[in-house]
Amino acid sequence: MSTPPRVRFAPSPTGFLHVGGARTALFNWLYARQTGGTLVLRIEDTDRERSSEAHTQVILDGLTWLGLDWDEGPLFQGAHADRHREDALRLLAAGKAYKDFMTAEELTAAREEAKAEGRPFRYHRAEVGLPPEETARREAAGMPHAVRFAMPDEELAWDDAVHGRISWQGRDLDDFIILRSDGTAIYNLAVVSDDVAMRISHVIRGDDHVSNTPKQIALYRALGHPVPTFAHVPMILGSDGKKLSKRHGATAVGDYREEGILPAAMRNFLALLGWSPGNDDEVLPLDEVIARFDLGGIMTKPAVFDTTKLEWMNGQYLSMLPAEELLAPVERELARLGIDPAGRDLLPVIEAVKARSRTITVVAEQVAARLPGATLPRDDKAHKLIDKLGDRFAINLGLAREALTAVVESAWQPAHLETVIKAVAEEGGLKLGDVMQPIRVALTGGTVSEPVHELLAVIGRDESLRRITAA
RNA sequence: GGCGCUAUCGUCUAGAGGCCUAGGACACAGCCCUCUCAAGGCUGGAACACGGGUUCGAAUCCCGUUAGCGCUACCA
C-alpha cells in the first residue's frame, strides 16, 4: 500500500464557480474520498487585477453547496510569492533560466513583425532576444528584466491518467517567462512551486491545461522534483458545441441553485458528464459514485452540458427524496417569492407536489398555490375546459360543492373525499372527469395537479370550499 | 500558421477484435395506466466522420484526410 494521494483543486477567483470548475473539483474530491487521500483547496489569486475576495467566497460557497469539502486550505497562492521567487532565482543561479531585458513593447513589435512575415513566433534564446552586448549594457544600467526559463531540447512526455501517453518536444516550446520584471512569478512556475510544496501526487485539472503540462514537467525536472501523475479532464461545451459561456445561459453553479436544482442532483449529473461507471446506471447514490469512481473512466472528449437532462435528474431526486429533506430549500424559495407559510405544516404539501415537479422552484410555486390566500390565475387549458363544458362547469361544480359541504372536518380525508366525488358523478350520470376537472380548476386555476381528492385534503376543507364557491 | 488533444444516435454514454442486424439514458412520437399531469410500463424513429490498411474477422488496432476544440501573454 503506497502513501495516500494528495490532490488539489485550484480555482482562480476571477469569476463565479463555473460548472466546469465544479466538475473538476468533484472529480478531485471523488478521487480523494475513494482513495483516502487528501484534497487541498488552493486559491490562485496571483492575478491581482482580476481576483477578488468576493469571488473567493462565492467559489467556497459553491463547493459547500455541492457538498464538497476539503482537507487543507483554502491556501492562497499569493501568500507564497517569496517561495515562487526563490525557486525562480534558484533556476537562474543554476543556469537553467536567464535574464531577459527586452521590454514588453519590443516583444510585441517582434511578434507583430513575425506575424507580418507569416512566420511563427517562438521565443527562444538562440533565435530571439537582444544581442549579448545590449543585454550587458542594460544589465549594467540596472534596467528591469524578466526571467525566462531555458527550455531544454528534450522530449517532455507523460502518461496521462485519462488520455494515455502525451508527448511534446521541448524545441517546440518557448523559453517562457517565469518571473515578471516586477519580480513576481508567472502561473506555470507558481503552480509547480506550490504543487511541490504541497506534495501533490495527482494533478486532476481541465484539458485546457495539457499545453501547460510539458512546461511544468520541464520545471519539475529543472527544480529536481519528481513529476506527479496528471489527469486531464475534458471541457464542458454549450449546446452549440462551443465552449460553455454566458451565451448559453446559466454556467455558474450558483445559477442552478437559484433555478431550484438540488445539490445531490447536480453532483450526480456532473459526475456522469465526462465520466462513466462503465454500465447503464444513471441515478447513482453518492457513496456508490465514490466507490466506483476511477480516473480511467473519464472521457477523452468534451461533453455538451444538457440542461434538460439535468432537470430530469433533478426530478428523479425530487421524487425519491423525502419531503423533510426538501423543506429547507422550499422554505428558502418561498421566502424569495415573498410568501409566508404562517406556521402551516408544509411537509404534506411538498409531498403532494414534488413528484410532479422538476425543480425546487416549481415545488415552491405549487406549494404556494395550495396555501390559503393564494392568487390563482387561470391558465389557457383551464379556459378551454370551461369553454368546453359551458354551463356544465358551474352546474357540476355546484353539485360537488353541495356534496363536499356535507363532509365534516374530521371526515375530510383523501379516501372519503374520493368516494364522495365518485358518488356525485354516479348520481348525476356524469363522467368522473367532468366533475373532477372543474374542482381542480377551482382549486388551482389549472388543469394539472395531484389526484383531486388528495388536492382537496392538502388544501383543507375551509379553503377548498372557499375556492370552489369563489369559482 | 505551429504544437497538442478529440471523433458511436440531436445530447450524455456502453463497447477495450468475433457476444454488435451497436446496448442504455435524456429528448421526441405512439400506446398502456388514469379524473388531469407527472411517475411507471411497452413500442418506434435515431449513431460507429471519411478513406486506406492489419486480420479469417474491426466501432474496437495502425496510417492518412476532414472537422471540432485547446494552447501559442511579463493571464490563470
Side-chain angles (χ1 to χ4, degrees), chain A residues 110-145:
Chain A
R111 240 181 230 113
E112 278 167 6
E113 189 185 316
K115 194 179 174 190
E117 292 172 20
R119 61 183 162 82
F121 180 84
R122 204 176 89 267
Y123 195 104
H124 192 275
R125 56 203 176 286
E127 308 159 17
V128 198
L130 267 12
E133 50 282 11
E134 177 62 11
T135 297
R137 191 189 70 74
R138 293 190 185 185
E139 180 157 22
M143 290 177 70
H145 64 272

PDB file of all heavy atoms in Angstrom, chain A residues 110-145:
ATOM      1  N   ALA A 110       8.348  42.590 -32.044  1.00  0.00           N
ATOM      2  CA  ALA A 110       8.955  41.408 -32.660  1.00  0.00           C
ATOM      3  C   ALA A 110       7.886  40.419 -33.088  1.00  0.00           C
ATOM      4  O   ALA A 110       7.956  39.788 -34.144  1.00  0.00           O
ATOM      5  CB  ALA A 110       9.908  40.754 -31.671  1.00  0.00           C
ATOM      6  N   ARG A 111       6.868  40.305 -32.241  1.00  0.00           N
ATOM      7  CA  ARG A 111       5.780  39.374 -32.538  1.00  0.00           C
ATOM      8  C   ARG A 111       5.011  39.800 -33.785  1.00  0.00           C
ATOM      9  O   ARG A 111       4.689  38.988 -34.645  1.00  0.00           O
ATOM     10  CB  ARG A 111       4.811  39.338 -31.341  1.00  0.00           C
ATOM     11  CG  ARG A 111       4.699  37.961 -30.755  1.00  0.00           C
ATOM     12  CD  ARG A 111       3.740  37.896 -29.588  1.00  0.00           C
ATOM     13  NE  ARG A 111       4.387  37.225 -28.489  1.00  0.00           N
ATOM     14  CZ  ARG A 111       4.719  37.791 -27.352  1.00  0.00           C
ATOM     15  NH1 ARG A 111       4.427  39.058 -27.128  1.00  0.00           N
ATOM     16  NH2 ARG A 111       5.315  37.109 -26.413  1.00  0.00           N
ATOM     17  N   GLU A 112       4.743  41.094 -33.847  1.00  0.00           N
ATOM     18  CA  GLU A 112       3.982  41.598 -34.997  1.00  0.00           C
ATOM     19  C   GLU A 112       4.774  41.463 -36.285  1.00  0.00           C
ATOM     20  O   GLU A 112       4.232  41.180 -37.340  1.00  0.00           O
ATOM     21  CB  GLU A 112       3.570  43.047 -34.749  1.00  0.00           C
ATOM     22  CG  GLU A 112       2.309  43.117 -33.890  1.00  0.00           C
ATOM     23  CD  GLU A 112       2.041  44.517 -33.350  1.00  0.00           C
ATOM     24  OE1 GLU A 112       2.769  45.455 -33.742  1.00  0.00           O
ATOM     25  OE2 GLU A 112       1.112  44.649 -32.542  1.00  0.00           O
ATOM     26  N   GLU A 113       6.062  41.667 -36.163  1.00  0.00           N
ATOM     27  CA  GLU A 113       6.918  41.543 -37.334  1.00  0.00           C
ATOM     28  C   GLU A 113       6.882  40.114 -37.868  1.00  0.00           C
ATOM     29  O   GLU A 113       6.733  39.872 -39.063  1.00  0.00           O
ATOM     30  CB  GLU A 113       8.348  41.925 -36.945  1.00  0.00           C
ATOM     31  CG  GLU A 113       9.294  42.047 -38.131  1.00  0.00           C
ATOM     32  CD  GLU A 113      10.727  42.303 -37.672  1.00  0.00           C
ATOM     33  OE1 GLU A 113      10.910  43.140 -36.759  1.00  0.00           O
ATOM     34  OE2 GLU A 113      11.634  41.644 -38.197  1.00  0.00           O
ATOM     35  N   ALA A 114       6.993  39.186 -36.932  1.00  0.00           N
ATOM     36  CA  ALA A 114       6.960  37.777 -37.327  1.00  0.00           C
ATOM     37  C   ALA A 114       5.637  37.448 -37.995  1.00  0.00           C
ATOM     38  O   ALA A 114       5.566  36.746 -39.001  1.00  0.00           O
ATOM     39  CB  ALA A 114       7.165  36.899 -36.095  1.00  0.00           C
ATOM     40  N   LYS A 115       4.580  38.001 -37.421  1.00  0.00           N
ATOM     41  CA  LYS A 115       3.242  37.729 -37.952  1.00  0.00           C
ATOM     42  C   LYS A 115       3.105  38.300 -39.364  1.00  0.00           C
ATOM     43  O   LYS A 115       2.578  37.658 -40.275  1.00  0.00           O
ATOM     44  CB  LYS A 115       2.185  38.355 -37.037  1.00  0.00           C
ATOM     45  CG  LYS A 115       0.778  37.848 -37.304  1.00  0.00           C
ATOM     46  CD  LYS A 115      -0.224  38.491 -36.350  1.00  0.00           C
ATOM     47  CE  LYS A 115      -1.630  38.100 -36.724  1.00  0.00           C
ATOM     48  NZ  LYS A 115      -2.620  38.893 -35.966  1.00  0.00           N
ATOM     49  N   ALA A 116       3.633  39.504 -39.520  1.00  0.00           N
ATOM     50  CA  ALA A 116       3.557  40.163 -40.821  1.00  0.00           C
ATOM     51  C   ALA A 116       4.314  39.369 -41.881  1.00  0.00           C
ATOM     52  O   ALA A 116       3.911  39.303 -43.039  1.00  0.00           O
ATOM     53  CB  ALA A 116       4.134  41.574 -40.724  1.00  0.00           C
ATOM     54  N   GLU A 117       5.386  38.743 -41.460  1.00  0.00           N
ATOM     55  CA  GLU A 117       6.168  37.948 -42.403  1.00  0.00           C
ATOM     56  C   GLU A 117       5.637  36.528 -42.531  1.00  0.00           C
ATOM     57  O   GLU A 117       6.189  35.694 -43.236  1.00  0.00           O
ATOM     58  CB  GLU A 117       7.636  37.907 -41.962  1.00  0.00           C
ATOM     59  CG  GLU A 117       8.333  39.259 -42.087  1.00  0.00           C
ATOM     60  CD  GLU A 117       9.724  39.233 -41.467  1.00  0.00           C
ATOM     61  OE1 GLU A 117      10.268  38.123 -41.294  1.00  0.00           O
ATOM     62  OE2 GLU A 117      10.242  40.317 -41.152  1.00  0.00           O
ATOM     63  N   GLY A 118       4.589  36.261 -41.781  1.00  0.00           N
ATOM     64  CA  GLY A 118       3.958  34.962 -41.878  1.00  0.00           C
ATOM     65  C   GLY A 118       4.756  33.816 -41.302  1.00  0.00           C
ATOM     66  O   GLY A 118       4.553  32.662 -41.644  1.00  0.00           O
ATOM     67  N   ARG A 119       5.671  34.133 -40.416  1.00  0.00           N
ATOM     68  CA  ARG A 119       6.402  33.021 -39.789  1.00  0.00           C
ATOM     69  C   ARG A 119       6.007  32.920 -38.320  1.00  0.00           C
ATOM     70  O   ARG A 119       5.616  33.904 -37.693  1.00  0.00           O
ATOM     71  CB  ARG A 119       7.916  33.232 -39.950  1.00  0.00           C
ATOM     72  CG  ARG A 119       8.430  34.488 -39.314  1.00  0.00           C
ATOM     73  CD  ARG A 119       9.916  34.676 -39.579  1.00  0.00           C
ATOM     74  NE  ARG A 119      10.302  36.070 -39.346  1.00  0.00           N
ATOM     75  CZ  ARG A 119      10.561  36.559 -38.128  1.00  0.00           C
ATOM     76  NH1 ARG A 119      10.485  35.778 -37.074  1.00  0.00           N
ATOM     77  NH2 ARG A 119      10.876  37.832 -37.969  1.00  0.00           N
ATOM     78  N   PRO A 120       6.090  31.723 -37.784  1.00  0.00           N
ATOM     79  CA  PRO A 120       5.685  31.526 -36.386  1.00  0.00           C
ATOM     80  C   PRO A 120       6.655  32.231 -35.455  1.00  0.00           C
ATOM     81  O   PRO A 120       7.865  32.274 -35.715  1.00  0.00           O
ATOM     82  CB  PRO A 120       5.748  30.012 -36.208  1.00  0.00           C
ATOM     83  CG  PRO A 120       6.726  29.549 -37.241  1.00  0.00           C
ATOM     84  CD  PRO A 120       6.553  30.480 -38.399  1.00  0.00           C
ATOM     85  N   PHE A 121       6.113  32.805 -34.397  1.00  0.00           N
ATOM     86  CA  PHE A 121       6.971  33.458 -33.429  1.00  0.00           C
ATOM     87  C   PHE A 121       7.125  32.562 -32.215  1.00  0.00           C
ATOM     88  O   PHE A 121       6.155  32.152 -31.584  1.00  0.00           O
ATOM     89  CB  PHE A 121       6.371  34.796 -32.984  1.00  0.00           C
ATOM     90  CG  PHE A 121       7.242  35.501 -31.978  1.00  0.00           C
ATOM     91  CD1 PHE A 121       8.310  36.286 -32.401  1.00  0.00           C
ATOM     92  CD2 PHE A 121       7.013  35.360 -30.620  1.00  0.00           C
ATOM     93  CE1 PHE A 121       9.127  36.921 -31.482  1.00  0.00           C
ATOM     94  CE2 PHE A 121       7.838  35.986 -29.692  1.00  0.00           C
ATOM     95  CZ  PHE A 121       8.897  36.778 -30.129  1.00  0.00           C
ATOM     96  N   ARG A 122       8.360  32.233 -31.952  1.00  0.00           N
ATOM     97  CA  ARG A 122       8.607  31.433 -30.766  1.00  0.00           C
ATOM     98  C   ARG A 122       9.782  32.075 -30.056  1.00  0.00           C
ATOM     99  O   ARG A 122      10.814  32.367 -30.685  1.00  0.00           O
ATOM    100  CB  ARG A 122       8.956  29.998 -31.162  1.00  0.00           C
ATOM    101  CG  ARG A 122       8.664  29.014 -30.076  1.00  0.00           C
ATOM    102  CD  ARG A 122       8.920  27.584 -30.509  1.00  0.00           C
ATOM    103  NE  ARG A 122      10.299  27.198 -30.246  1.00  0.00           N
ATOM    104  CZ  ARG A 122      11.284  27.288 -31.104  1.00  0.00           C
ATOM    105  NH1 ARG A 122      11.077  27.775 -32.302  1.00  0.00           N
ATOM    106  NH2 ARG A 122      12.508  26.897 -30.790  1.00  0.00           N
ATOM    107  N   TYR A 123       9.634  32.322 -28.786  1.00  0.00           N
ATOM    108  CA  TYR A 123      10.731  32.959 -28.073  1.00  0.00           C
ATOM    109  C   TYR A 123      11.732  31.910 -27.631  1.00  0.00           C
ATOM    110  O   TYR A 123      11.483  31.113 -26.744  1.00  0.00           O
ATOM    111  CB  TYR A 123      10.232  33.745 -26.848  1.00  0.00           C
ATOM    112  CG  TYR A 123      11.293  34.693 -26.339  1.00  0.00           C
ATOM    113  CD1 TYR A 123      11.205  36.055 -26.585  1.00  0.00           C
ATOM    114  CD2 TYR A 123      12.417  34.210 -25.663  1.00  0.00           C
ATOM    115  CE1 TYR A 123      12.196  36.930 -26.168  1.00  0.00           C
ATOM    116  CE2 TYR A 123      13.419  35.066 -25.241  1.00  0.00           C
ATOM    117  CZ  TYR A 123      13.307  36.426 -25.500  1.00  0.00           C
ATOM    118  OH  TYR A 123      14.287  37.282 -25.080  1.00  0.00           O
ATOM    119  N   HIS A 124      12.871  31.926 -28.287  1.00  0.00           N
ATOM    120  CA  HIS A 124      13.930  31.002 -27.888  1.00  0.00           C
ATOM    121  C   HIS A 124      15.233  31.775 -27.844  1.00  0.00           C
ATOM    122  O   HIS A 124      15.527  32.569 -28.734  1.00  0.00           O
ATOM    123  CB  HIS A 124      14.024  29.838 -28.894  1.00  0.00           C
ATOM    124  CG  HIS A 124      14.871  28.719 -28.396  1.00  0.00           C
ATOM    125  ND1 HIS A 124      16.232  28.694 -28.535  1.00  0.00           N
ATOM    126  CD2 HIS A 124      14.553  27.597 -27.697  1.00  0.00           C
ATOM    127  CE1 HIS A 124      16.716  27.598 -27.960  1.00  0.00           C
ATOM    128  NE2 HIS A 124      15.714  26.923 -27.440  1.00  0.00           N
ATOM    129  N   ARG A 125      16.021  31.541 -26.799  1.00  0.00           N
ATOM    130  CA  ARG A 125      17.247  32.313 -26.582  1.00  0.00           C
ATOM    131  C   ARG A 125      18.200  32.318 -27.777  1.00  0.00           C
ATOM    132  O   ARG A 125      18.924  33.257 -28.006  1.00  0.00           O
ATOM    133  CB  ARG A 125      17.995  31.797 -25.340  1.00  0.00           C
ATOM    134  CG  ARG A 125      18.327  30.293 -25.376  1.00  0.00           C
ATOM    135  CD  ARG A 125      18.527  29.765 -23.972  1.00  0.00           C
ATOM    136  NE  ARG A 125      18.746  28.313 -23.954  1.00  0.00           N
ATOM    137  CZ  ARG A 125      17.806  27.393 -24.158  1.00  0.00           C
ATOM    138  NH1 ARG A 125      16.559  27.780 -24.446  1.00  0.00           N
ATOM    139  NH2 ARG A 125      18.087  26.115 -24.086  1.00  0.00           N
ATOM    140  N   ALA A 126      18.154  31.216 -28.559  1.00  0.00           N
ATOM    141  CA  ALA A 126      19.080  31.145 -29.688  1.00  0.00           C
ATOM    142  C   ALA A 126      18.574  31.927 -30.895  1.00  0.00           C
ATOM    143  O   ALA A 126      19.337  32.232 -31.797  1.00  0.00           O
ATOM    144  CB  ALA A 126      19.307  29.686 -30.066  1.00  0.00           C
ATOM    145  N   GLU A 127      17.282  32.234 -30.916  1.00  0.00           N
ATOM    146  CA  GLU A 127      16.717  32.859 -32.104  1.00  0.00           C
ATOM    147  C   GLU A 127      16.251  34.292 -31.882  1.00  0.00           C
ATOM    148  O   GLU A 127      16.336  35.125 -32.766  1.00  0.00           O
ATOM    149  CB  GLU A 127      15.520  32.036 -32.605  1.00  0.00           C
ATOM    150  CG  GLU A 127      15.844  30.567 -32.796  1.00  0.00           C
ATOM    151  CD  GLU A 127      14.588  29.722 -32.776  1.00  0.00           C
ATOM    152  OE1 GLU A 127      13.490  30.278 -32.937  1.00  0.00           O
ATOM    153  OE2 GLU A 127      14.712  28.499 -32.565  1.00  0.00           O
ATOM    154  N   VAL A 128      15.657  34.529 -30.729  1.00  0.00           N
ATOM    155  CA  VAL A 128      15.110  35.840 -30.464  1.00  0.00           C
ATOM    156  C   VAL A 128      15.937  36.452 -29.342  1.00  0.00           C
ATOM    157  O   VAL A 128      16.781  35.808 -28.746  1.00  0.00           O
ATOM    158  CB  VAL A 128      13.639  35.727 -30.016  1.00  0.00           C
ATOM    159  CG1 VAL A 128      12.936  37.065 -30.156  1.00  0.00           C
ATOM    160  CG2 VAL A 128      12.930  34.661 -30.823  1.00  0.00           C
ATOM    161  N   GLY A 129      15.625  37.683 -29.081  1.00  0.00           N
ATOM    162  CA  GLY A 129      16.295  38.291 -27.949  1.00  0.00           C
ATOM    163  C   GLY A 129      17.303  39.339 -28.360  1.00  0.00           C
ATOM    164  O   GLY A 129      17.619  39.493 -29.541  1.00  0.00           O
ATOM    165  N   LEU A 130      17.772  40.039 -27.360  1.00  0.00           N
ATOM    166  CA  LEU A 130      18.695  41.142 -27.575  1.00  0.00           C
ATOM    167  C   LEU A 130      20.097  40.599 -27.861  1.00  0.00           C
ATOM    168  O   LEU A 130      20.469  39.525 -27.405  1.00  0.00           O
ATOM    169  CB  LEU A 130      18.762  41.981 -26.297  1.00  0.00           C
ATOM    170  CG  LEU A 130      17.854  43.187 -26.092  1.00  0.00           C
ATOM    171  CD1 LEU A 130      16.717  43.266 -27.120  1.00  0.00           C
ATOM    172  CD2 LEU A 130      17.293  43.189 -24.690  1.00  0.00           C
ATOM    173  N   PRO A 131      20.884  41.365 -28.577  1.00  0.00           N
ATOM    174  CA  PRO A 131      22.295  40.986 -28.750  1.00  0.00           C
ATOM    175  C   PRO A 131      22.955  40.973 -27.366  1.00  0.00           C
ATOM    176  O   PRO A 131      22.581  41.774 -26.508  1.00  0.00           O
ATOM    177  CB  PRO A 131      22.868  42.131 -29.599  1.00  0.00           C
ATOM    178  CG  PRO A 131      21.683  42.802 -30.209  1.00  0.00           C
ATOM    179  CD  PRO A 131      20.545  42.603 -29.280  1.00  0.00           C
ATOM    180  N   PRO A 132      23.923  40.106 -27.150  1.00  0.00           N
ATOM    181  CA  PRO A 132      24.566  39.970 -25.839  1.00  0.00           C
ATOM    182  C   PRO A 132      25.096  41.310 -25.301  1.00  0.00           C
ATOM    183  O   PRO A 132      24.937  41.596 -24.107  1.00  0.00           O
ATOM    184  CB  PRO A 132      25.729  39.013 -26.118  1.00  0.00           C
ATOM    185  CG  PRO A 132      25.296  38.234 -27.306  1.00  0.00           C
ATOM    186  CD  PRO A 132      24.458  39.147 -28.130  1.00  0.00           C
ATOM    187  N   GLU A 133      25.656  42.117 -26.190  1.00  0.00           N
ATOM    188  CA  GLU A 133      26.229  43.362 -25.689  1.00  0.00           C
ATOM    189  C   GLU A 133      25.142  44.315 -25.193  1.00  0.00           C
ATOM    190  O   GLU A 133      25.316  45.035 -24.207  1.00  0.00           O
ATOM    191  CB  GLU A 133      27.114  44.032 -26.766  1.00  0.00           C
ATOM    192  CG  GLU A 133      26.550  44.215 -28.152  1.00  0.00           C
ATOM    193  CD  GLU A 133      26.545  42.958 -29.033  1.00  0.00           C
ATOM    194  OE1 GLU A 133      26.786  41.813 -28.551  1.00  0.00           O
ATOM    195  OE2 GLU A 133      26.260  43.127 -30.202  1.00  0.00           O
ATOM    196  N   GLU A 134      23.958  44.274 -25.878  1.00  0.00           N
ATOM    197  CA  GLU A 134      22.853  45.129 -25.452  1.00  0.00           C
ATOM    198  C   GLU A 134      22.321  44.644 -24.100  1.00  0.00           C
ATOM    199  O   GLU A 134      21.986  45.432 -23.220  1.00  0.00           O
ATOM    200  CB  GLU A 134      21.728  45.123 -26.502  1.00  0.00           C
ATOM    201  CG  GLU A 134      20.489  45.906 -26.143  1.00  0.00           C
ATOM    202  CD  GLU A 134      20.750  47.419 -25.959  1.00  0.00           C
ATOM    203  OE1 GLU A 134      21.846  47.891 -26.309  1.00  0.00           O
ATOM    204  OE2 GLU A 134      19.850  48.117 -25.428  1.00  0.00           O
ATOM    205  N   THR A 135      22.258  43.337 -23.947  1.00  0.00           N
ATOM    206  CA  THR A 135      21.819  42.766 -22.675  1.00  0.00           C
ATOM    207  C   THR A 135      22.773  43.209 -21.562  1.00  0.00           C
ATOM    208  O   THR A 135      22.348  43.649 -20.498  1.00  0.00           O
ATOM    209  CB  THR A 135      21.811  41.218 -22.753  1.00  0.00           C
ATOM    210  OG1 THR A 135      20.864  40.805 -23.727  1.00  0.00           O
ATOM    211  CG2 THR A 135      21.463  40.611 -21.400  1.00  0.00           C
ATOM    212  N   ALA A 136      24.065  43.148 -21.857  1.00  0.00           N
ATOM    213  CA  ALA A 136      25.059  43.534 -20.867  1.00  0.00           C
ATOM    214  C   ALA A 136      24.927  45.011 -20.522  1.00  0.00           C
ATOM    215  O   ALA A 136      25.022  45.406 -19.355  1.00  0.00           O
ATOM    216  CB  ALA A 136      26.458  43.235 -21.402  1.00  0.00           C
ATOM    217  N   ARG A 137      24.678  45.820 -21.533  1.00  0.00           N
ATOM    218  CA  ARG A 137      24.534  47.257 -21.312  1.00  0.00           C
ATOM    219  C   ARG A 137      23.344  47.559 -20.396  1.00  0.00           C
ATOM    220  O   ARG A 137      23.451  48.304 -19.428  1.00  0.00           O
ATOM    221  CB  ARG A 137      24.344  47.975 -22.656  1.00  0.00           C
ATOM    222  CG  ARG A 137      24.460  49.508 -22.559  1.00  0.00           C
ATOM    223  CD  ARG A 137      24.055  50.193 -23.855  1.00  0.00           C
ATOM    224  NE  ARG A 137      22.632  50.105 -24.142  1.00  0.00           N
ATOM    225  CZ  ARG A 137      21.688  50.812 -23.493  1.00  0.00           C
ATOM    226  NH1 ARG A 137      22.041  51.666 -22.563  1.00  0.00           N
ATOM    227  NH2 ARG A 137      20.414  50.674 -23.809  1.00  0.00           N
ATOM    228  N   ARG A 138      22.226  46.912 -20.727  1.00  0.00           N
ATOM    229  CA  ARG A 138      21.017  47.156 -19.921  1.00  0.00           C
ATOM    230  C   ARG A 138      21.186  46.637 -18.500  1.00  0.00           C
ATOM    231  O   ARG A 138      20.708  47.225 -17.547  1.00  0.00           O
ATOM    232  CB  ARG A 138      19.801  46.491 -20.577  1.00  0.00           C
ATOM    233  CG  ARG A 138      19.449  47.153 -21.907  1.00  0.00           C
ATOM    234  CD  ARG A 138      18.118  46.684 -22.443  1.00  0.00           C
ATOM    235  NE  ARG A 138      17.883  47.248 -23.780  1.00  0.00           N
ATOM    236  CZ  ARG A 138      16.757  47.084 -24.469  1.00  0.00           C
ATOM    237  NH1 ARG A 138      15.767  46.365 -23.969  1.00  0.00           N
ATOM    238  NH2 ARG A 138      16.609  47.628 -25.655  1.00  0.00           N
ATOM    239  N   GLU A 139      21.887  45.527 -18.375  1.00  0.00           N
ATOM    240  CA  GLU A 139      22.090  44.973 -17.043  1.00  0.00           C
ATOM    241  C   GLU A 139      22.964  45.925 -16.233  1.00  0.00           C
ATOM    242  O   GLU A 139      22.681  46.206 -15.069  1.00  0.00           O
ATOM    243  CB  GLU A 139      22.763  43.597 -17.118  1.00  0.00           C
ATOM    244  CG  GLU A 139      23.005  42.979 -15.744  1.00  0.00           C
ATOM    245  CD  GLU A 139      23.138  41.472 -15.797  1.00  0.00           C
ATOM    246  OE1 GLU A 139      23.450  40.933 -16.873  1.00  0.00           O
ATOM    247  OE2 GLU A 139      22.901  40.831 -14.755  1.00  0.00           O
ATOM    248  N   ALA A 140      24.001  46.447 -16.885  1.00  0.00           N
ATOM    249  CA  ALA A 140      24.903  47.384 -16.212  1.00  0.00           C
ATOM    250  C   ALA A 140      24.160  48.647 -15.816  1.00  0.00           C
ATOM    251  O   ALA A 140      24.438  49.250 -14.775  1.00  0.00           O
ATOM    252  CB  ALA A 140      26.074  47.719 -17.144  1.00  0.00           C
ATOM    253  N   ALA A 141      23.195  49.001 -16.642  1.00  0.00           N
ATOM    254  CA  ALA A 141      22.421  50.207 -16.366  1.00  0.00           C
ATOM    255  C   ALA A 141      21.346  49.960 -15.318  1.00  0.00           C
ATOM    256  O   ALA A 141      20.607  50.855 -14.935  1.00  0.00           O
ATOM    257  CB  ALA A 141      21.788  50.710 -17.663  1.00  0.00           C
ATOM    258  N   GLY A 142      21.258  48.711 -14.886  1.00  0.00           N
ATOM    259  CA  GLY A 142      20.283  48.376 -13.843  1.00  0.00           C
ATOM    260  C   GLY A 142      18.845  48.421 -14.327  1.00  0.00           C
ATOM    261  O   GLY A 142      17.927  48.701 -13.561  1.00  0.00           O
ATOM    262  N   MET A 143      18.645  48.134 -15.587  1.00  0.00           N
ATOM    263  CA  MET A 143      17.278  48.144 -16.113  1.00  0.00           C
ATOM    264  C   MET A 143      16.508  46.896 -15.671  1.00  0.00           C
ATOM    265  O   MET A 143      17.108  45.858 -15.385  1.00  0.00           O
ATOM    266  CB  MET A 143      17.327  48.227 -17.644  1.00  0.00           C
ATOM    267  CG  MET A 143      17.819  49.604 -18.127  1.00  0.00           C
ATOM    268  SD  MET A 143      17.956  49.696 -19.921  1.00  0.00           S
ATOM    269  CE  MET A 143      16.235  49.671 -20.401  1.00  0.00           C
ATOM    270  N   PRO A 144      15.187  47.028 -15.580  1.00  0.00           N
ATOM    271  CA  PRO A 144      14.381  45.878 -15.139  1.00  0.00           C
ATOM    272  C   PRO A 144      14.431  44.729 -16.156  1.00  0.00           C
ATOM    273  O   PRO A 144      14.609  44.963 -17.351  1.00  0.00           O
ATOM    274  CB  PRO A 144      12.969  46.457 -15.045  1.00  0.00           C
ATOM    275  CG  PRO A 144      12.977  47.635 -15.949  1.00  0.00           C
ATOM    276  CD  PRO A 144      14.356  48.192 -15.890  1.00  0.00           C
ATOM    277  N   HIS A 145      14.287  43.537 -15.649  1.00  0.00           N
ATOM    278  CA  HIS A 145      14.315  42.381 -16.539  1.00  0.00           C
ATOM    279  C   HIS A 145      13.362  41.285 -16.055  1.00  0.00           C
ATOM    280  O   HIS A 145      13.050  41.201 -14.874  1.00  0.00           O
ATOM    281  CB  HIS A 145      15.728  41.808 -16.595  1.00  0.00           C
ATOM    282  CG  HIS A 145      16.185  41.262 -15.266  1.00  0.00           C
ATOM    283  ND1 HIS A 145      16.812  42.058 -14.329  1.00  0.00           N
ATOM    284  CD2 HIS A 145      16.074  40.034 -14.721  1.00  0.00           C
ATOM    285  CE1 HIS A 145      17.072  41.313 -13.258  1.00  0.00           C
ATOM    286  NE2 HIS A 145      16.628  40.097 -13.460  1.00  0.00           N
TER     287      HIS A 145
END
